[in-house]
């Protein structure tokens, strides 16, 4: 009985841990998705600015040497931000992949927990029914035991009664002919 209670406690604890991991994973995935969206918008904005800059073929004459230096500095800053955004986007994608892997791990643990739950229910049913205290045999045969005998092949039926079938054939032909 203690084993069943201990197993039940471990199962409940593991289930609570999985739920907490799922919650944290969901929150983290939402943050990553929001950051990905933000970075994509920034990338599009920078690409749009560069497209407009390239589209306006000859740039108007600068109003002075200070203006061209200032513009060059702003362009360099924008390009630097774009590079950083691209790097951060790559990091966000890598993080998304890690999150997917963790989610797969969680699903695996959930399957294991489901198996433990079934074992726990079987144990509980055995204990409450007052069954034997020996563990139930598993589906896997022991290596020392003899394999079960092969399943016999189905026997062919005896001589079929052909009279009813013989009488039905001429009628089906006559319906096809008509």
């Amino acid at each position: 009985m203690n084993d069943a209670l201990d197993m039940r406690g471990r199962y409940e604890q593991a289930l609570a841990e999985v739920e907490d991991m799922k919650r944290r994973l969901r929150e983290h995935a939402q943050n990553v998705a929001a950051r990905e969206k933000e970075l994509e918008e920034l990338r599009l904005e920078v690409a749009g600015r560069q497209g407009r800059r390239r589209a306006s073929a000859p740039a108007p004459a600068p109003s002075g040497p200070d203006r061209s230096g200032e513009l060059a500095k702003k362009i360099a800053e924008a390009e630097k931000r774009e590079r950083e955004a691209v790097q951060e986007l790559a990091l966000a994608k890598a993080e998304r992949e890690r999150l997917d892997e963790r989610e797969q791990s969680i699903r695996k643990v959930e399957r294991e927990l489901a198996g433990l739950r079934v074992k726990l229910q079987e144990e509980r049913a055995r204990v409450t029914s007052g069954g034997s205290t020996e563990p139930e045999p598993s589906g896997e045969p022991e290596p020392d035991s003899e394999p079960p005998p092969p399943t016999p092949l189905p026997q062919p039926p005896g001589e079929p009664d052909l009279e009813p079938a013989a009488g039905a054939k001429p009628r089906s032909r006559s319906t096809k002919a008509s």
Side-chain angles (χ1 to χ4, degrees):
M1 188 69 176
N2 269 345
D3 289 341
L5 290 176
D6 186 41
M7 187 184 286
R8 174 73 179 186
R10 287 187 309 200
Y11 169 76
E12 288 175 355
Q13 181 184 4
L15 196 58
E17 288 175 10
V18 166
E19 288 302 317
D20 185 50
M21 286 173 62
K22 286 168 98 176
R23 180 189 54 77
R24 286 184 297 172
L25 186 62
R26 222 178 2 261
E27 290 171 357
H28 192 65
Q30 289 170 347
N31 291 338
V32 167
R35 186 63 180 154
E36 278 180 340
K37 183 178 178 183
E38 182 182 324
L39 290 172
E40 186 65 22
E41 289 171 358
L42 181 62
R43 188 187 64 77
L44 291 173
E45 181 183 318
V46 169
R49 275 193 233 140
Q50 286 182 345
R52 285 192 301 269
R53 186 173 67 225
R54 290 181 189 133
S56 60
S63 59
D66 295 331
R67 183 77 176 138
S68 65
E70 181 182 323
L71 289 176
K73 184 178 179 182
K74 285 187 178 186
I75 290 171
E77 288 174 359
E79 289 173 347
K80 179 181 176 188
R81 282 196 310 269
E82 182 184 16
R83 282 191 305 273
E84 289 172 351
V86 167
Q87 289 174 347
E88 200 166 335
L89 186 59
L91 288 173
K93 287 180 181 178
E95 181 68 19
R96 168 80 58 176
E97 290 174 5
R98 283 193 297 271
L99 290 174
D100 289 344
E101 290 171 2
R102 283 188 70 193
E103 191 170 323
Q104 289 174 355
S105 297
I106 287 174
R107 285 193 192 115
K108 181 181 175 185
V109 168
E110 285 177 332
R111 284 192 299 270
E112 291 173 7
L113 286 174
L116 286 173
R117 182 177 62 230
V118 168
K119 285 182 181 178
L120 179 63
Q121 289 171 347
E122 290 171 354
E123 177 75 19
R124 185 180 296 148
R126 196 169 39 113
V127 168
T128 57
S129 68
S132 68
T133 56
E134 295 179 20
E136 294 182 12
S138 65
E140 300 174 14
E142 293 183 21
D144 296 341
S145 66
E146 290 288 323
T151 306
L153 294 173
Q155 297 298 320
E159 286 295 317
D161 187 13
L162 298 177
E163 286 304 314
K169 284 189 177 183
R171 275 185 262 155
S172 63
R173 286 183 186 159
S174 63
T175 55
K176 288 181 184 175
S178 351

